[in-house]
Amino acid sequence: MYQVYPRSFQDSNGDGIGDLTGIIQRLDYLKKLGISAIWLSPVYRSPNDDNGYDISDYEQIMAEFGTMADMEQLIHEAQQREIKIIMDLVVNHTSDEHPWFIESRSSKDNPYRDFYVWRKGLDGEKPNDLESTFLGSAWQFDEPTGEYYLHLFSQKQPDLNWENPDVRNAIYNMMNFWIDKGIGGFRMDVIDLVGKIPDQKITGNGPKLHDYLQEMNAKTFGGKDLLTVGETWGATPEIAKLYSDPKRNELSMVFQFEHVSLDEQPGKSKWDLRPLQIAELKKVFSKWQTELDDQGWNSLFWNNHDLPRIVSRWGNDSTYRIQSAKMLAILLHMLKGTPYIYQGEEIGMTNRVIQDITEVEDIESKNMYIDRISKGYTKTEILASINAKGRDNARTPMQWDNTENAGFTTGKPWLAVQDNYHEINVANALADKNSIFYTYQKLIELRKNYPLIIWGSFELLTNTPETVFAYYRHYQGETWLIVCNFSNQEQPFSLEKTTTKTIIANTEKEYFDLSDRILEPYEAFVVCLAR
Ligand code: GLC
Ligand code: CA
């Protein structure tokens, strides 16, 4: 799976904003990479308070991105290349500019009133102290009717009331509208929140959540050849099985986020940084690799539009950029589950470094800045957090070539292109047979050819240095060994075994004899062991 963030992928008309025609122009590139499906971040009509995650019309395309005819053409052109389009389904909330909400807020007896979560204040106070993910109270007072509405994200993203069957049916109808257009499935935005009970301050994993998903499955995609993946921040392996056990008829798989929280201080927020411990990463991955058994399915990812670039985050984006990006790719793609690549990851795009808050577009970072300034943090501290974790890191325009604005646009890009595009770009990657791109291409090809990668069981090697992440995959009597040096130092590795072949590596070395080896910084290899 390859995630496209349309705003930053390819502009086709010079307005500085990526669009659907731009994506169509780049399908051959994605075909060359070898992917099977595109997860398309939202392209629906939206006032863009949260870059399309605030939808004002689910059945119209955002004017900046094109028209419904362009969308149909994208689906069709992708189909011609055996690529499916997975739509982003944002149904925990709508935009406050959605006609449902405009009706809902207009009067207490409007038929759409109950489409959203309205509460009376308590003696002129907010219903309770629930907080929004984007900071501040999750309750917004609304003048016309003198009540509060719930918004777990921005004030312009009022939460839908899933307890109302009319809401659910309206959503299912909308999903069927898209299924009928020939899409390949849905990525479900913050779906673990839809069973919320705000009065008890339950947001994630509410009691009705799985009933709703089973109902949704039955009324929309169930029994069809469609892929569904839920964004579930609160999932443990046990919870992930509830969503993804095929017998339960809910989703194909979920995104779990345990590994991406490992560099934050426990109990604090994503902005409170601490260094990653590789030992913890091993533990978390091993847990997810083994505990789902045959009752659940993993998705595998380092990046998305909300996360910083992995090569900058846990690799090395200077001296060892290429080595470390390949190591990270090999480590992830040899695991059990469905891998997701975020646009630009396949060429090793890096975080952007900002000097000032005026360079920020992302609502989450902006709100955090205001909040922390008011709490007495220094600007330097706050900018360090944004440079490490801000969502704009992943949202800078795709770097296609060495021409002005990296070939993303002929106009002024909505978010500045990174200066390093002269070196890091698709054209350079395609021209260099040792580029990161070809490692990703090969990994995708391997996954299509070796059932061991899909089905093999996982076993962690424990007698390695802490920063060497090594594991076996076993399948039908065959064993592969994956060895990754997760550090910028040489590391020893030794195993009294020989191999029958090297599957993939980020060096030119021979891997016949595995005893007494010294791994280079970020060295990674995959071998098939002799029996
Ligand atoms: C998800 C999206 C994120 C968005 C939020 C609210 O976490 O990935 O980009 O801001 O939901 O829709
Ligand atoms: Ca455009």
Side-chain angles (χ1 to χ4, degrees):
M1 181 89 75
Y2 186 94
Q3 185 189 353
V4 167
Y5 194 68
R7 214 173 177 73
S8 299
F9 194 60
Q10 175 70 64
D11 177 22
S12 70
N13 62 352
D15 65 356
I17 297 172
D19 46 52
L20 296 176
T21 304
I23 301 172
I24 294 170
Q25 290 168 0
R26 295 299 184 177
L27 285 174
D28 287 333
Y29 165 73
L30 296 178
K31 179 74 190 164
K32 189 177 169 84
L33 181 57
I35 56 134
S36 315
I38 294 172
W39 153 21
L40 194 60
S41 275
V43 294
Y44 315 93
R45 190 144 295 172
S46 162
N48 274 314
D49 187 52
D50 186 19
N51 283 0
Y53 284 90
D54 49 318
I55 296 168
S56 55
D57 190 335
Y58 290 104
E59 297 182 9
Q60 297 282 336
I61 297 299
M62 193 188 303
E64 291 168 326
F65 289 171
T67 62
M68 190 57 84
D70 297 334
M71 186 65 214
E72 284 162 0
Q73 201 196 339
L74 171 60
I75 295 169
H76 173 76
E77 295 278 337
Q79 249 158 20
Q80 304 287 90
R81 294 165 179 82
E82 295 174 307
I83 294 174
K84 301 200 172 180
I85 301 288
I86 309 297
M87 295 299 275
D88 213 318
L89 185 77
V90 189
V91 289
N92 174 66
H93 44 266
T94 67
S95 163
D96 65 342
E97 297 180 34
H98 194 291
W100 295 341
F101 189 72
I102 294 173
E103 294 284 328
S104 184
R105 83 189 327 176
S106 68
S107 76
K108 285 188 193 170
D109 53 14
N110 187 283
Y112 286 92
R113 181 66 171 182
D114 198 36
F115 263 50
Y116 294 84
V117 183
W118 291 97
R119 295 289 184 270
K120 288 190 194 64
L122 286 170
D123 308 324
E125 292 288 319
K126 299 184 164 66
N128 59 35
D129 61 356
L130 255 187
E131 291 237 348
S132 143
T133 302
F134 293 159
L135 300 176
S137 171
W139 297 103
Q140 175 67 27
F141 184 74
D142 207 47
E143 282 296 340
T145 56
E147 289 189 347
Y148 291 83
Y149 68 84
L150 180 74
H151 62 90
L152 292 177
F153 293 88
S154 96
Q155 285 166 25
K156 287 184 67 61
Q157 291 166 301
D159 279 54
L160 285 164
N161 175 19
W162 273 68
E163 283 173 30
N164 179 347
D166 293 342
V167 168
R168 303 201 302 275
N169 285 326
I171 291 168
Y172 305 151
N173 287 340
M174 174 274 283
M175 291 172 72
N176 286 326
F177 166 90
W178 284 104
I179 291 173
D180 290 345
K181 289 207 180 288
I183 63 158
F186 297 100
R187 174 268 182 185
M188 301 185 183
D189 192 69
V190 291
I191 198 69
D192 59 343
L193 301 181
V194 301
K196 69 188 80 86
I197 310 185
D199 306 295
Q200 294 169 30
K201 297 208 276 180
I202 296 172
T203 52
N205 297 315
K208 290 272 190 58
L209 171 61
H210 295 282
D211 293 345
Y212 294 155
L213 289 176
Q214 285 170 9
E215 178 185 79
M216 177 195 275
N217 179 304
K219 294 203 173 174
T220 62
F221 52 81
K224 304 194 171 102
D225 185 19
L226 295 168
L227 180 152
T228 50
V229 51
E231 186 197 22
T232 58
W233 282 84
T236 60
E238 284 313 308
I239 293 176
K241 287 183 204 171
L242 299 178
Y243 289 108
S244 64
D245 182 346
K247 290 197 206 81
R248 291 176 49 85
N249 293 319
E250 295 188 22
L251 308 179
S252 315
M253 65 187 106
V254 294
F255 291 124
Q256 64 82 16
F257 291 87
E258 209 176 335
H259 61 297
V260 302
S261 308
L262 291 175
D263 57 5
E264 56 191 61
Q265 296 170 33
K268 293 200 174 171
S269 80
K270 73 182 236 182
W271 307 110
D272 300 296
L273 313 173
R274 68 166 175 144
L276 172 72
Q277 304 294 328
I278 310 299
E280 290 186 355
L281 185 70
K282 289 184 194 174
K283 208 162 113 193
V284 167
F285 272 163
S286 302
K287 172 166 114 186
W288 281 92
Q289 287 292 297
T290 51
E291 290 185 13
L292 290 186
D293 305 318
D294 291 329
Q295 299 162 42
W297 193 250
N298 278 305
S299 53
L300 307 169
F301 66 98
W302 289 125
N303 289 283
N304 66 34
H305 63 293
D306 297 326
L307 300 174
R309 294 280 181 184
I310 195 63
V311 71
S312 301
R313 185 182 194 179
W314 292 343
N316 176 304
D317 63 8
S318 52
T319 324
Y320 298 112
R321 186 181 68 87
I322 291 174
Q323 282 295 92
S324 67
K326 290 179 182 175
M327 181 279 285
L328 290 160
I330 291 170
L331 173 58
L332 193 78
H333 286 239
M334 283 294 144
L335 293 170
K336 185 174 182 179
T338 300
Y340 289 71
I341 301 168
Y342 178 72
Q343 66 184 43
E345 177 183 339
E346 77 281 14
I347 56 166
M349 279 178 63
T350 60
N351 276 354
R352 88 197 269 248
V353 181
I354 56 155
Q355 319 292 343
D356 195 85
I357 188 66
T358 53
E359 293 166 72
V360 173
E361 282 285 339
D362 170 34
I363 179 171
E364 185 191 36
S365 299
K366 284 186 187 168
N367 287 359
M368 182 277 281
Y369 185 88
I370 296 168
D371 181 63
R372 292 207 161 182
I373 286 286
S374 79
K375 291 181 174 147
Y377 288 72
T378 67
K379 284 190 183 172
T380 318
E381 283 171 306
I382 303 176
L383 288 180
S385 290
I386 294 177
N387 281 329
K389 293 287 192 69
R391 303 196 298 179
D392 285 345
N393 278 314
R395 299 180 180 182
T396 62
M398 182 71 181
Q399 295 168 199
W400 293 105
D401 59 35
N402 204 0
T403 62
E404 203 182 346
N405 289 319
F408 165 69
T409 181
T410 53
K412 183 176 181 303
W414 73 276
L415 184 67
V417 175
Q418 297 203 58
D419 292 337
N420 63 19
Y421 79 84
H422 295 284
E423 181 203 340
I424 304 172
N425 64 57
V426 167
N428 283 353
L430 291 178
D432 172 5
K433 69 178 186 14
N434 289 318
S435 71
I436 301 165
F437 175 90
Y438 291 110
T439 294
Y440 274 90
Q441 185 191 55
K442 179 148 189 208
L443 285 165
I444 294 171
E445 194 190 299
L446 287 169
R447 294 191 67 99
K448 288 182 179 161
N449 292 323
Y450 290 95
L452 175 145
I453 310 177
I454 315 293
W455 305 113
S457 64
F458 170 97
E459 184 191 349
L460 184 75
L461 272 73
T462 48
N463 55 346
T464 59
E466 177 179 340
T467 57
V468 175
F469 193 146
Y471 60 92
Y472 296 120
R473 298 288 309 276
H474 306 287
Y475 183 66
Q476 296 186 345
E478 187 166 308
T479 295
W480 286 14
L481 169 70
I482 296 90
V483 176
C484 297
N485 178 2
F486 218 116
S487 82
N488 59 3
Q489 308 288 319
E490 290 185 339
Q491 298 291 343
F493 178 83
S494 187
L495 192 69
E496 298 302 323
K497 293 227 165 100
T498 54
T499 73
T500 58
K501 65 181 168 206
T502 301
I503 310 291
I504 188 170
N506 66 358
T507 70
E508 301 284 309
K509 294 182 185 173
E510 287 285 332
Y511 292 99
F512 178 68
D513 182 355
L514 298 177
S515 60
D516 295 325
R517 300 189 71 106
I518 298 292
L519 304 176
E520 293 167 17
Y522 299 108
E523 181 171 340
F525 63 86
V526 181
V527 287
C528 177
L529 295 183
R531 294 187 190 197

